[in-house]
Amino acid sequence: MPGQPRNKQAEPAAPAGAYARMEDLLAMRHRARGFSFLPRQPVHSLLAGRHNSRLRGRGLNFEEIRRYQPGDDIRQIDWKVTARTRRTHSRVFTEERERSTLLLVDQRMSMFFGSRKRMKSVTAAEAAALAAWRVLAQQDRVGALVFNDHELVEVRPQRSAATVMRILQHILKQNHALSLQAGIRGNPGMLNEALRHCDRLAKHDNLVCIISDGAGQDEESRHLLTRISHRNDVLFGFVHDPLEAELPAAGPLVFEAAGNQLEVDTHHQPLRDRYREDFEASRASGRHFLLQRETPVIPLSTDEDVADQVRRRLGGVRRR
Amino acid sequence: MSNLTLAYPWLLLLLPLPLLAWWLLPPHSEPRRGLVVPFLTRLARVAGQQPGNGAAVARGSVWRSLVVSLCWLCCVLAVARPQVIEPPVTRELPVRDLLLAVDLSGSMATRDFQDTSGETVDRLSAVKAVLDDFLARRQGDRVGLIFFGSAAFVQAPFTEDLQVCRELLGEAQVRMAGPQTAFGDALGLAINVFERSTVQERVLIALTDGNDTASQVPPEKAAQIAADKGIVIHTVAVGDPHAAGEDALDEVALKKVSAATDGLYSHATDRQQLEAIYEQLDALETRKVETLSHRPRRDVYWWPLTLSLLVSMAYLGTGLALRRRLEARRSGAATLAAAAPMGLVTALAQFHFIRPLWLLALLPALLLWWALQRQTDAGRAWRGIIDPHLLEFLWGGERRQRRFGPLAWIGLSWLVLVVAIAGPSWHHEPSPFADDTAALAIVLRVAPSMETEDVQPSRQVRAALKVHELLKARGNARASLIAYDGTAHVVMPATGDAGIVDNFARALTPEVMPESGDAAAEALALADQTLAAAGGGSIVWLTDSISPEQTTAIAQWRKNSATPVRLWPPLLPGGERDDLEAAARAVRASVQYLTADDSDVQSLANAARFAPAIATDEDTRWAESGYWLTPLIAAMMLLFFRRGWMIPRGIGT
């Protein structure tokens, strides 16, 4: 809706694409189908196969007995096996009804960008809504850490639609606060802050969904992520924009950030190649790092429907 | 073009000025609209560029500096005011003085003359016919007029204004100068008049019936003296050679006179002989013409200006077109050669342009400017890449967008350039031999009261002196002289020969006026007539009083006439002057007091110049006023030498 006033407070007037709208987030409830965070995954799901993690949890179906790892619930220690082998072993069950899901929703300024259809921040909000509704539909508890450049809001995991609504409201509030005119200073450190908080919050066997563009990730974030993934299942929803991946050949373009301008001649083929390769490389390294920690990555592009993308990655062939 | 000169060549010293501008002015950085992206640092790293603080100081190409330099050169040339010196306009100055002595004795009333149509007319009419024909051929000579009867007097001193001569001649009446014929005296007067002339070729044509009756000097004697002085006397006999008695024609005496001075004798009816006289005048005394040449200078400042306009437009236009081609964008943008609506030109007719068609150049300039404006909009580049509903939230640096950048500047420069080239003009160029100022009728009261010597030396003399000054200040502008007392007379119809008016003004004394009284209204009416003949003008009125009974007549005149009147009383401040002013209120005259210096003369001369002149010569040229825009253009152009001050090149399309 071009030409509309930039009214970031009045929710009904918020232009679609630029800002998330409550009705869209609510509509996600009905679209949160065709995929699952549960262990039984469709063949084409990211979560299926050798190298992918099986989502673990407490439940009735016995999976295996393995060496005790720090963080395992001591109630799951199989004392008999432990006594026999003189090494601590614990039982692992699949299917856990009471598993909490924690959503890390990034709404920082770096997310306030998009070249097609919607902003990254909107994509993240929709993805978070999708996940929240899905988790709720699975009768699991859902909580969230919604953060922007200067604040971090925590919603304790609970199994209720009201909690989901609270999460969505926090996301919306932060989403609508995003504006270039507001003079918000980017704070890359907020990602680590959120991860730290998550580390404290998600003790074990949680599903942690990080929905972010990964801006500001550094050694510490990797460390934190490693720790979190040790005890929890982590899903990384990598929000990105096509323009971040590839520059169009459109002649000289002026880019700007924080008052700095850069004029780049996009007709320059080697430059465009370098740019693409750079993005691919950093993405590949991130993916590699995350996969080592059994963390699947779901790329979420701004120019496609979020539910479709998630379903494609997690749902395999569309059912129904 | 050898006739091309610069009026102010020293202004070419301005040429190095751009160096100063380049050196002293702070560099201009053009803020651009950028898209705020989160990945700028990464992009900068990949591109190997350092992000700048917004705008960069643009660096022009060699072509640009060439074009700007060329434009500057043109501008400075225009400021130096190039002028084409046109072929000289010459004006002939007569060097030969002709004096016509016309007999007005009683015998001239005799009706014994057959004119060309065979009718019998009186001799004076015959003389007038002959002289009319004669004067028509004497263009370029100075002609004086002597009338003689019982006495001889100069009716018109030497003047180039032959029209006035003919008019004065037309007013001649038989017995105006007494009934007798003082032919000898007339010759003597002619000799006197010639004494004062500086010209070598002196010719007197005497038209008479030759029967000298009242001369103190016999004609033969006078002719001898004239011969000694080098004066050639042609005699033209008027009358019936066969008549007898008092009015008889004394052919013998006339022949003697002409023979004594190597002149010719002719009879007025004798066409051949008259032709011979004319031929002799033309052939023997070859027309001595002094030429006064004036080479008008025509301002051509607009030539270099046009060049700079075209060059700058061509440069920016081709740059634009090339970029268009390069990017192979959709074609069908505005073509520069748009049809010119003529309405634009006619609408501007009220404000005069010498070359209004050049205003059409505004059209392509506007189009080009618009195209430039579009392509310099850096945001446009993003429109295809970013969805519009997102783009509006992603603009950065918009607040820093300056309103008045180089683009606006060049648009303004083009506007001024085109206006200057079109040649705005609001006044005529003064003609080199200026007589295009409005005519002036001098109404002078010649009455005994004017003899009063409260103003030194007397009111009359002071008035004459002031008239002299005024005529001098007005140069060749046309002036007429009306004298009045009890009656009003046109002493001199409007003429460009100030000298003759001056002469008459000095010669006026109360004694020559036939009646005493006050005929002010009549005089003003006469003045109006002379002005009407001269194409309009104003009246200067010199009088010391207006009698109360004239006020109504004057008011009546005022009703019918809109001619501006300026009252110039030769009076000292006091009751008399106040009374006069009060009486003059009916004429709605502005009053100019007498001053000791010539400030009154100057102000009157200035005022008279701008009187509503009705007729203007078609051949006068409009003065080029556009030149005065060139310094402005040069100043504007100077800014383009400021570092970074250039049309932002299109950021993608």
Side-chain angles (χ1 to χ4, degrees):
Chain A
M1 269 180 277
Q4 268 205 357
R6 290 165 209 190
N7 191 343
K8 55 182 185 275
Q9 290 307 322
E11 284 174 29
Y19 291 102
R21 294 187 303 178
M22 193 42 134
E23 64 240 52
D24 291 340
L25 299 188
L26 289 177
M28 282 298 166
R29 183 171 199 167
H30 311 291
R31 308 201 61 206
R33 288 195 185 120
F35 67 97
S36 164
F37 295 128
L38 295 176
R40 245 173 238 295
Q41 288 289 331
V43 176
H44 297 290
S45 168
L46 257 188
L47 305 180
R50 261 189 317 158
H51 299 292
N52 296 331
S53 86
R54 304 299 302 271
L55 294 174
R56 298 158 297 183
R58 226 151 43 91
L60 293 175
N61 302 339
F62 170 75
E63 191 76 15
E64 60 174 350
I65 292 182
R66 65 163 194 221
R67 288 281 295 275
Y68 171 79
Q69 285 173 344
D72 279 0
D73 194 342
I74 51 167
R75 285 175 292 178
Q76 301 300 323
I77 293 175
D78 190 327
W79 294 109
K80 286 183 178 167
V81 177
T82 304
R84 252 200 316 273
T85 59
R86 298 180 153 270
R87 299 260 167 90
T88 326
H89 278 81
S90 52
R91 289 164 173 259
V92 179
F93 296 88
T94 53
E95 190 75 19
E96 193 233 8
R97 290 284 162 202
E98 288 298 311
R99 194 182 54 159
S100 302
T101 299
L102 195 61
L103 304 171
L104 258 74
V105 187
D106 187 351
Q107 291 291 329
R108 292 175 298 166
M109 272 314 283
S110 68
M111 299 290 283
F112 193 66
F113 177 74
S115 62
R116 296 282 178 215
K117 293 201 172 131
R118 56 182 78 77
M119 296 283 187
K120 280 156 72 183
S121 57
V122 177
T123 309
E126 290 184 0
L130 193 75
W133 289 122
R134 182 65 227 162
V135 171
L136 189 72
Q138 283 170 205
Q139 306 286 313
D140 277 340
R141 291 185 297 178
V142 59
L145 286 172
V146 186
F147 65 102
N148 60 16
D149 290 292
H150 50 84
E151 68 171 333
L152 181 104
V153 180
E154 181 193 324
V155 180
R156 290 266 170 187
Q158 273 178 358
R159 194 198 304 128
S160 70
T163 312
V164 175
M165 286 309 289
R166 265 217 326 282
I167 293 172
L168 296 187
Q169 257 148 20
H170 282 301
I171 291 175
L172 268 189
K173 186 167 164 249
Q174 293 200 352
N175 183 277
H176 286 194
L178 290 173
S179 165
L180 288 177
Q181 272 69 44
I184 302 165
R185 292 195 56 185
N187 184 2
M190 235 16 219
L191 179 68
N192 288 349
E193 182 68 35
L195 286 176
R196 263 194 298 275
H197 203 100
C198 172
D199 187 33
R200 281 201 299 278
L201 204 66
K203 290 281 183 247
H204 59 90
D205 290 339
N206 286 330
L207 175 63
V208 176
C209 284
I210 305 171
I211 303 168
S212 168
D213 60 353
Q217 52 101 359
D218 54 11
E219 213 41 59
E220 198 197 344
S221 14
R222 286 170 185 240
H223 177 68
L224 284 168
L225 211 59
T226 309
R227 278 182 51 165
I228 295 168
S229 62
H230 254 302
R231 292 169 288 146
N232 304 283
D233 292 313
V234 179
L235 246 172
F236 194 92
F238 178 64
V239 183
H240 68 94
D241 187 84
L243 199 65
E244 290 177 315
E246 188 150 14
L247 287 176
L253 291 173
V254 180
F255 297 87
E256 185 170 330
N260 287 331
Q261 280 193 342
L262 187 72
E263 189 186 326
V264 172
D265 185 7
T266 52
H267 276 316
H268 192 54
Q269 180 68 41
L271 172 76
R272 291 211 313 276
D273 289 346
R274 273 208 306 281
Y275 182 80
R276 192 179 58 237
E277 281 157 16
D278 181 76
F279 180 78
E280 294 295 346
S282 67
R283 187 169 155 182
S285 86
R287 190 192 195 91
H288 179 70
F289 165 81
L290 289 168
L291 284 184
Q292 272 187 336
R293 279 143 196 87
E294 301 188 317
T295 300
V297 178
I298 301 175
L300 296 169
S301 175
T302 54
D303 63 347
E304 265 185 276
D305 186 77
V306 176
D308 287 348
Q309 292 185 70
V310 171
R311 212 175 284 140
R312 194 161 60 232
R313 295 295 179 150
L314 294 185
V317 186
R318 273 189 77 165
R319 278 168 273 179
R320 280 194 305 130
Chain B
M1 200 61 73
S2 59
N3 289 340
L4 205 59
T5 59
L6 296 176
Y8 315 121
W10 51 270
L11 278 174
L12 290 181
L13 291 176
L14 290 178
L15 271 177
L17 212 55
L19 289 177
L20 275 182
W22 189 82
W23 187 35
L24 290 180
L25 287 176
H28 167 80
S29 54
E30 183 70 15
R32 293 161 303 185
R33 261 183 148 192
L35 188 82
V36 175
V37 292
F39 51 86
L40 188 80
T41 32
R42 184 162 65 90
L43 183 64
R45 178 164 45 78
V46 168
Q49 286 173 277
Q50 202 61 38
N53 64 334
V57 177
R59 289 168 157 274
S61 64
V62 181
W63 275 106
R64 181 194 179 269
S65 26
L66 270 179
V67 166
V68 173
S69 304
L70 180 63
C71 289
W72 172 250
L73 184 72
C74 289
C75 268
V76 173
L77 264 180
V79 170
R81 200 165 191 173
Q83 289 173 324
V84 168
I85 300 181
E86 296 195 325
V89 176
T90 56
R91 167 142 163 157
E92 293 167 352
L93 272 191
V95 291
R96 183 169 42 195
D97 285 356
L98 290 179
L99 206 48
L100 303 173
V102 179
D103 187 355
L104 295 181
S105 63
S107 57
M108 292 297 280
T110 316
R111 304 175 69 87
D112 61 353
F113 198 87
Q114 303 261 324
D115 67 2
T116 42
S117 55
E119 266 181 73
T120 308
V121 294
D122 61 60
R123 292 176 183 175
L124 185 59
S125 304
V127 165
K128 285 177 184 174
V130 169
L131 285 185
D132 253 3
D133 181 33
F134 174 74
L135 287 173
R137 295 165 180 246
R138 300 322 306 171
Q139 208 61 44
D141 286 351
R142 291 208 305 167
V143 175
L145 212 51
I146 290 179
F147 288 170
F148 62 95
S150 303
F153 63 91
V154 180
Q155 173 69 1
F158 290 119
T159 175
E160 299 143 33
D161 195 340
L162 301 183
Q163 187 56 36
V164 166
C165 257
R166 285 161 89 164
E167 280 176 34
L168 288 174
L169 183 64
E171 286 167 11
Q173 305 277 326
V174 175
R175 293 194 183 85
M176 232 171 84
Q180 291 171 304
T181 312
F183 183 40
D185 288 1
L187 294 184
L189 181 64
I191 292 161
N192 261 339
V193 170
F194 274 128
E195 281 296 273
R196 274 181 273 145
S197 163
T198 54
V199 191
Q200 292 301 313
E201 313 283 352
R202 297 162 169 186
V203 179
L204 170 71
I205 300 172
L207 300 104
T208 176
D209 49 7
N211 207 345
D212 193 309
T213 51
S215 280
Q216 291 161 352
V217 186
E220 289 83 359
K221 180 81 179 146
Q224 274 305 319
I225 299 167
D228 292 344
K229 302 265 181 200
I231 300 168
V232 180
I233 303 175
H234 302 289
T235 51
V236 179
V238 188
D240 188 355
H242 309 298
E246 183 74 359
D247 301 337
L249 186 62
D250 191 352
E251 275 193 295
V252 186
L254 292 178
K255 275 178 183 161
K256 270 187 190 162
V257 166
S258 54
T261 59
D262 297 335
L264 292 175
Y265 165 80
S266 161
H267 193 266
T269 45
D270 191 345
R271 289 264 150 213
Q272 277 184 353
Q273 194 64 18
L274 280 176
E275 286 293 338
I277 292 175
Y278 297 153
E279 262 167 39
Q280 194 179 1
L281 286 175
D282 288 337
L284 293 179
E285 301 151 26
T286 38
R287 195 181 180 90
K288 292 275 172 64
V289 171
E290 220 168 63
T291 56
L292 192 71
S293 86
H294 171 87
R295 310 192 73 180
R297 287 156 173 257
R298 191 153 55 86
D299 273 324
V300 289
Y301 66 89
W302 59 281
W303 289 358
L305 287 190
T306 311
L307 183 64
S308 82
L309 176 74
L310 294 182
V311 164
S312 62
M313 279 175 63
Y315 170 68
L316 287 170
T318 46
L320 194 68
L322 278 181
R323 243 168 282 143
R324 281 267 165 87
R325 172 101 46 96
L326 208 66
E327 278 136 27
R329 285 283 296 178
R330 62 178 190 277
S331 60
T335 47
L336 292 188
M342 292 303 287
L344 185 72
V345 181
T346 50
L348 284 159
Q350 208 171 4
F351 183 60
H352 185 89
F353 284 105
I354 299 171
R355 295 169 289 276
L357 276 177
W358 269 104
L359 288 180
L360 292 179
L362 278 178
L363 228 71
L366 200 72
L367 277 172
L368 182 57
W369 188 81
W370 176 74
L372 283 172
Q373 166 88 20
R374 275 194 58 199
Q375 68 110 42
T376 52
D377 175 14
R380 241 181 98 242
W382 283 112
R383 281 200 185 114
I385 300 168
I386 312 287
D387 281 354
H389 66 282
L390 300 178
L391 190 58
E392 61 172 311
F393 296 98
L394 294 175
W395 286 128
E398 209 173 338
R399 283 150 288 147
R400 289 178 303 156
Q401 193 100 23
R402 232 170 290 169
R403 286 257 165 261
F404 212 75
L407 190 64
W409 200 249
I410 198 149
L412 202 65
S413 307
W414 278 345
L415 181 70
V416 179
L417 260 176
V418 171
V419 168
I421 289 170
S425 174
W426 48 84
H427 62 92
H428 281 281
E429 212 162 68
S431 159
F433 314 111
D435 44 5
D436 57 349
T437 47
L440 178 71
I442 300 166
V443 177
L444 182 59
R445 175 132 199 247
V446 186
S449 69
M450 291 287 280
E451 298 276 75
T452 317
E453 292 180 352
D454 56 347
V455 180
Q456 287 300 321
S458 77
R459 291 176 185 176
Q460 190 74 62
V461 176
R462 177 63 82 86
L465 281 173
K466 284 291 182 186
V467 167
H468 170 74
E469 294 288 324
L470 178 60
L471 291 169
K472 216 164 78 180
R474 281 169 53 80
N476 280 333
R478 286 141 75 81
S480 61
L481 180 64
I482 291 94
Y484 77 97
D485 192 23
T487 53
H489 307 272
V490 176
V491 179
M492 184 56 56
T495 170
D497 190 344
I500 186 168
V501 181
D502 191 20
N503 274 340
F504 276 100
R506 281 177 202 225
L508 288 170
T509 54
E511 292 85 60
V512 304
M513 302 308 289
E515 270 175 62
S516 68
D518 190 352
E522 203 186 322
L524 289 175
L526 281 178
D528 246 3
Q529 279 172 23
T530 61
L531 287 179
S538 61
I539 295 173
V540 166
W541 186 7
L542 295 108
T543 180
D544 58 349
S545 69
I546 298 169
S547 65
E549 51 266 27
Q550 277 294 312
T551 14
T552 47
I554 290 170
Q556 187 65 38
W557 169 81
R558 179 81 279 182
K559 259 185 224 167
N560 302 326
S561 166
T563 317
V565 177
R566 292 185 184 80
L567 193 63
W568 196 14
L571 293 173
L572 294 176
E576 209 176 348
R577 199 170 78 177
D578 297 340
D579 290 348
L580 179 66
E581 248 178 85
R585 220 159 274 153
V587 210
R588 293 202 295 277
S590 56
V591 181
Q592 173 65 54
Y593 299 130
L594 215 57
T595 60
D597 56 3
D598 68 343
S599 59
D600 52 350
V601 173
Q602 290 304 331
S603 82
L604 275 175
N606 279 335
R609 181 171 309 145
F610 300 111
I614 298 156
T616 43
D617 296 346
E618 305 83 42
D619 59 342
T620 58
R621 262 206 311 252
W622 288 92
E624 295 260 16
S625 305
Y627 167 74
W628 303 108
L629 286 173
T630 57
L632 178 66
I633 293 167
M636 292 176 99
M637 190 63 88
L638 206 53
L639 206 56
F640 284 94
F641 287 94
R642 182 179 172 188
R643 273 164 295 163
W645 188 265
M646 56 187 67
I647 309 303
R649 151 179 82 84
I651 308 297
T653 39

